[in-house]
Amino acid sequence: MIKLENISKVYRTKEIETLALDNINCDVSEGEFVSVMGPSGCGKSTLLNIIGLLDEPDEGKIALNKELIMSYEDKKTAKMRNQLVGFIFQSFHLIKELNVYDNVELPLIYRKMPASERKQRVTEALEKVGLTNRMQHYPSQLSGGQCQRTAIARAIAGEPKIILADEPTGNLDSKIGHEVVDILAGLNDNGTTIVMVTHDEAIAKSTHRIVRLFDGRLVG
Ligand SMILES: Nc1ncnc2c1ncn2[C@@H]1O[C@H](COP(=O)(O)OP(=O)(O)O)[C@@H](O)[C@H]1O
Ligand SMILES: [Mg+2]
């Protein structure tokens, strides 16, 4: 489902060059649930952004769903970015002026999906994360766990084949964090491929495989 070949990424600022990823080779099969671990600054978010086509590598090749990415500007790549991949972030990235329902619906509006289909997708996604009774709430009226469940609903409403989660439990206490990972595991049971960055060994051990990064390189 995800194939990375000799991926390198350098960040250049006026002062310094940072080799964020150094010749990464990695395959993730369809239906896998993979954890990415490693110290702060080792390149985990960069790796996720590259897999999600949010960021372009300096070197190497990436293929998603058996399609080699040839250009970062063409319509086909934009469509893959929007429809193949769902993102979940540590700090939820919800829009505070929109209620739960509207946050989940927004990406579907960008996709120009018809209203009736949007309604069905949003309703189903909120059911899956157990938030049907909070649809009219605004993010400021939700707990951290509920915010993250809203973000998961937003990611899955688009029915992505791949979910990329960057420290999804990083702002949650341990019990709520495990509940969020249980939701992800349920999505994985239904066939969604998941790559999740986490600092929590117990959570990582509950996934199929742990990939470890150190200074931009895969180790172990
Ligand atoms: N936009 C950027 N500009 C310059 N350096 C960056 C940028 N983003 C990340 N880096 C650097 O690249 C390295 C990897 O960062 P990141 O992927 O965010 O690590 P992690 O998610 O593992 O903490 C770090 O040294 C970081 O400082
Ligand atoms: Mg990070």
Side-chain angles (χ1 to χ4, degrees), residues 130-143:
L131 274 185
T132 307
N133 57 351
R134 293 288 185 278
M135 289 196 290
Q136 306 302 329
H137 280 57
Y138 287 82
S140 63
Q141 301 168 323
L142 299 174
S143 67

Side-chain angles (χ1 to χ4, degrees), residues 71-123:
S71 143
Y72 280 74
E73 269 123 57
D74 68 5
K75 274 192 182 160
K76 198 168 118 191
T77 304
K79 198 170 169 189
M80 285 178 85
R81 189 184 293 126
N82 293 330
Q83 307 205 350
L84 189 61
V85 185
F87 261 97
I88 299 166
F89 302 93
Q90 176 175 4
S91 50
F92 323 128
H93 290 199
L94 299 175
I95 296 178
K96 64 178 194 300
E97 294 82 7
L98 296 181
N99 67 24
V100 165
Y101 186 98
D102 293 340
N103 263 286
V104 176
E105 187 184 32
L106 191 62
L108 306 181
I109 294 175
Y110 285 140
R111 262 199 218 181
K112 300 192 173 72
M113 188 180 282
S116 59
E117 195 182 347
R118 289 202 308 262
K119 189 171 179 202
Q120 191 189 340
R121 294 265 197 117
V122 174
T123 309

